[in-house]
Amino acid sequence: MIVRIMGEGQLVLDDAHLPELNTLDDALLAAIEAADEEGFRRTLGALLDGVRSRGEPLPDDALEPSGLILPSPDATLEEVRAMLRDDGLIPG
């Protein structure tokens, strides 16, 4: 799956990592629902770090359709809330 982190670029992420990242996505969703700004910031950072560390960056000049778009690290709680689907940011 190709994942775009807004403001950073695209990475190729093996689907085998999705269950692990979904755990962080669930925690992010809980922080957003609780309006827990500190938990939101910490969990968003962990989720993005997880994608960066497990993904393989695409070259800057590559332009591939993204299967998943994640917010930038400095996105606000409200901006991320607007991006959520029923199952969070990551499907599954």
Side-chain angles (χ1 to χ4, degrees), residues 13-32:
L13 184 69
D14 191 306
D15 289 351
H17 298 299
L18 292 179
E20 179 183 359
L21 294 171
N22 262 319
T23 301
L24 291 168
D25 190 40
D26 291 344
L28 182 66
L29 183 59
I32 290 171

Side-chain angles (χ1 to χ4, degrees), residues 6 10 22 28 31 37-38 62 69 72 79 83 87 90:
M6 295 173 71
Q10 293 179 300
N22 262 319
L28 182 66
E37 180 69 32
E38 184 179 323
I69 299 175
S72 67
E79 290 170 332
M83 296 176 68
D87 54 354
I90 299 174

Side-chain angles (χ1 to χ4, degrees), residues 12-72:
V12 177
L13 184 69
D14 191 306
D15 289 351
H17 298 299
L18 292 179
E20 179 183 359
L21 294 171
N22 262 319
T23 301
L24 291 168
D25 190 40
D26 291 344
L28 182 66
L29 183 59
I32 290 171
E33 289 176 348
D36 173 6
E37 180 69 32
E38 184 179 323
F40 161 75
R41 187 66 44 208
R42 179 181 58 252
T43 308
L44 177 61
L47 177 63
L48 296 178
D49 285 346
V51 171
R52 289 184 199 108
S53 67
R54 289 159 183 82
E56 185 70 31
L58 286 178
D60 289 340
D61 60 347
L63 188 57
E64 300 290 334
S66 299
L68 180 63
I69 299 175
L70 297 176
S72 67

